[in-house]
Amino acid sequence: MTEQQGDPRHLETLDRDLARFSKLETATALIARPMVGLSVSFVFVVLAGIAAMLFFGQTNNTLIVVLAACLGAYMALNIGANDVANNMGPAVGANALSMGGAIAIAVIFESAGALIAGGDVVSTIAKGIIAPESMGTASVFIWAMMAALLSAALWVNLATWIGAPVSTTHSVVGGVMGAGIAAAGFAAVNWTTMGKIAASWVISPVLGGVVAALFLALIKSRIIYREDKIAAARTWVPVLVGIMAGAFASYLALKGLKKIIKIDLPMSLMIGAAVGVLVWIIMIPLIRKQSEGLENRNKSLKVLFGIPLVVSAALLSFAHGANDVANAVGPLAAIVQASLSGDFTHAVSIPYWVMVIGAFGISFGLFLFGPKLIRMVGGQITKLNPMRAYCVALSAAITVIVASWLGLPVSSTHIAVGAVFGVGFFREWDAARRVRKARLAMPNRAEFAPEERRRRKLVRRSHFMTIIAAWIITVPAAAVLSAAIFFLLNLTMG
């Protein structure tokens, strides 16, 4: 070794240079990461267009079908980036699943739901929002559906960027309504259906929040606040898991398996009851064995809810893939049918290749862009643990069953996020109630300062206001954007 190489100053210079290179590599990786996501997304959209060209290369309207397939792929990517977070966020926020595990489960079960039990038939224009015959010609209808698909995708893209979980179904509804009004006037809109959808903005999150809060109240009163928590858990956890199994069995029988077999509501409830009782009986010895040796404290209870929470997240993903994907790619299927046959007034079947685009698009969108919304839903609205997250998942399944029974068009996004809010607000109310109780027992105890009371709020008000605002303006924003795109397309192509 030469004298210069052994000089400590030389080593210090080397360390500084290595540190600079390390910082440069970190900065490059941070800049490159979004570019990788955008590049993969662009390749997927192009491949969807190429696949459509291979399928329909000999038809007169190949260009229209290819463009529609690209827009459908773009929409599917946005569903994966935004909608799926509602199913996986609570489990990740409760540390029952890692981010990688959540993405893997969601990709498998969302795709399985879309491909195995995806919507068999949807009405020509998203659930009867617009009278198809009012469009006049197939070309007007096609441009209206193009505008609806693009506007919905752009709106969900924007909502994901600002960190707001919104309903992709409502985005499509707004897009279809806006394009329909632009093409055929306000009289073309089925305002009764739109009124029900508007009502669901309030009903979905409130119902989800109330159901989640009631289950959390049950867990607190029957397990957490008991002197022997483990003994209470041995009694009540099998009951709660049985309720979850029954709710999901009814949900999947009613909504997720309609492509395989048609089941009405009474039959689905009977199936759910049978499955619930069976699972309850099976879980009694399993929970007793799992709880052996656990300490009598709240931390031990989290272990008993971990696996049921993961299973519920997987089932929610399957049900979401079976239902919401069809709603989102419905306009694409309508465009394909109208382009090939000229028929746009009858119900449209979802072609299998369209469902494949939806399934793969959701997977890519979730993997590339989903973690942001998963973290927001799972940990930034309110703090979740396995018990609270379990209440959210249970609420999502039960609320959809109740809404189906009442005939209300609800949003799974609104229900799940509403349930997260419900859990957080219930904890705030419960904490305030216990403070009041303690103050009655100790009248001389000093009250919290206003700043401290605000700090002790368990629901982040900034996220609450952002999400509520995004929900309220989803349909109008998508409608205005869709109308503008329709006029542009009509001007360019007409």
Side-chain angles (χ1 to χ4, degrees):
M1 183 183 291
T2 65
E3 185 179 346
Q4 185 182 1
Q5 286 173 322
D7 187 350
R9 287 174 297 179
H10 171 75
L11 294 175
E12 287 175 10
T13 303
L14 181 62
D15 287 339
R16 280 198 302 271
D17 288 343
L18 287 172
R20 289 192 190 101
F21 275 119
S22 178
K23 287 178 182 176
L24 183 63
E25 285 180 347
T26 304
T28 305
L30 288 171
I31 293 169
R33 197 175 299 158
M35 295 305 296
V36 170
L38 291 173
S39 300
V40 173
S41 302
F42 178 73
V43 170
F44 172 70
V45 169
V46 170
L47 288 175
I50 292 172
M53 189 181 295
L54 292 175
F55 270 105
F56 304 105
Q58 305 303 315
T59 63
N60 295 328
N61 294 316
T62 302
L63 183 60
I64 289 173
V65 175
V66 168
L67 183 58
C70 291
L71 292 178
Y74 176 45
M75 182 66 191
L77 286 166
N78 283 295
I79 296 172
N82 192 296
D83 235 16
V84 182
N86 310 306
N87 303 327
M88 287 296 155
V92 173
N95 295 320
L97 272 174
S98 65
M99 183 65 74
I103 289 173
I105 289 173
V107 164
I108 293 167
F109 283 88
E110 287 276 345
S111 301
L115 298 175
I116 296 171
D120 48 357
V121 174
V122 292
S123 62
T124 311
I125 305 182
K127 298 185 177 178
I129 296 157
I130 297 288
E133 57 276 5
S134 66
M135 292 290 183
T137 65
S139 62
V140 172
F141 170 78
I142 287 169
W143 296 129
M145 290 299 98
M146 288 272 199
L149 201 53
L150 180 56
S151 67
L154 287 171
W155 172 250
V156 177
N157 200 160
L158 175 63
T160 305
W161 182 65
I162 65 173
V166 296
S167 169
T168 51
T169 303
H170 283 188
S171 301
V172 172
V173 165
V176 169
M177 184 182 77
I181 291 171
F186 284 91
V189 178
N190 185 334
W191 292 107
T192 303
T193 301
M194 286 307 303
K196 289 182 179 178
I197 291 168
S200 78
W201 294 341
V202 178
I203 294 168
S204 297
V206 170
L207 204 54
V210 168
V211 172
L214 288 173
F215 275 107
L216 185 58
L218 177 70
I219 289 172
K220 281 180 175 289
S221 63
R222 297 298 175 186
I223 303 175
I224 294 174
Y225 294 155
R226 295 285 167 168
E227 194 170 325
D228 190 342
K229 302 176 194 297
I230 303 304
R234 286 172 181 163
T235 301
W236 282 99
V237 172
V239 173
L240 289 166
V241 176
I243 292 171
M244 180 197 79
F248 275 113
S250 293
Y251 181 79
L252 293 173
L254 184 68
K255 290 291 202 177
L257 302 177
K258 57 189 174 186
K259 192 173 181 181
I260 300 168
I261 183 171
K262 186 71 176 175
I263 297 174
D264 58 13
L265 183 63
M267 178 60 71
S268 72
L269 292 175
M270 288 174 62
I271 292 170
V275 171
V277 170
L278 181 63
V279 170
W280 168 60
I281 293 169
I282 292 170
M283 289 302 295
I284 292 171
L286 292 178
I287 293 296
R288 185 178 291 117
K289 186 174 182 181
Q290 193 180 9
S291 63
E292 286 176 3
L294 291 179
E295 294 182 48
N296 187 33
R297 55 181 186 153
N298 290 347
K299 191 174 182 181
S300 301
L301 300 175
K302 297 176 182 178
V303 177
L304 303 178
F305 283 90
I307 293 174
L309 178 56
V310 172
V311 172
S312 69
L315 291 172
L316 273 176
S317 290
F318 182 90
H320 180 269
N323 291 283
D324 287 31
V325 178
N327 291 336
V329 297
L332 169 57
I335 291 167
V336 172
Q337 179 169 296
S339 299
L340 299 179
S341 66
D343 178 21
F344 60 95
T345 58
H346 294 94
V348 54
S349 296
I350 305 281
Y352 194 73
W353 68 272
V354 171
M355 296 306 296
V356 169
I357 286 177
F360 277 93
I362 283 175
S363 301
F364 283 126
L366 174 65
F367 179 73
L368 296 170
F369 308 110
K372 179 180 179 180
L373 263 292
I374 288 176
R375 289 190 194 97
M376 202 281 290
V377 172
Q380 294 176 20
I381 295 174
T382 192
K383 178 66 178 168
L384 294 175
N385 63 17
M387 284 86 83
R388 296 167 207 150
Y390 185 79
C391 293
V392 171
L394 194 50
S395 169
I398 290 174
T399 304
V400 170
I401 291 291
V402 172
S404 299
W405 177 54
L406 296 173
L408 298 171
V410 293
S411 161
S412 60
T413 302
H414 291 192
I415 291 169
V417 178
V420 174
F421 284 132
V423 163
F425 284 126
F426 173 79
R427 289 181 64 223
E428 282 188 9
W429 173 84
D430 189 50
R433 179 182 63 86
R434 296 176 74 189
V435 167
R436 284 195 301 271
K437 209 171 184 180
R439 190 161 285 123
L440 287 172
M442 300 173 62
N444 297 326
R445 184 175 175 177
E447 289 197 21
F448 293 121
E451 296 80 9
E452 178 62 14
R453 284 202 297 271
R454 281 194 294 271
R455 192 186 69 80
R456 294 170 75 89
K457 297 292 186 186
L458 297 173
V459 176
R460 292 276 296 278
R461 296 312 194 260
S462 58
H463 284 304
F464 178 74
M465 297 308 297
T466 300
I467 291 169
I468 296 299
W471 286 355
I472 291 171
I473 64 171
T474 288
V475 170
V480 170
L481 187 58
S482 180
I485 293 170
F486 174 79
F487 281 127
L488 189 62
L489 286 172
N490 218 26
L491 195 65
T492 308
M493 303 297 180

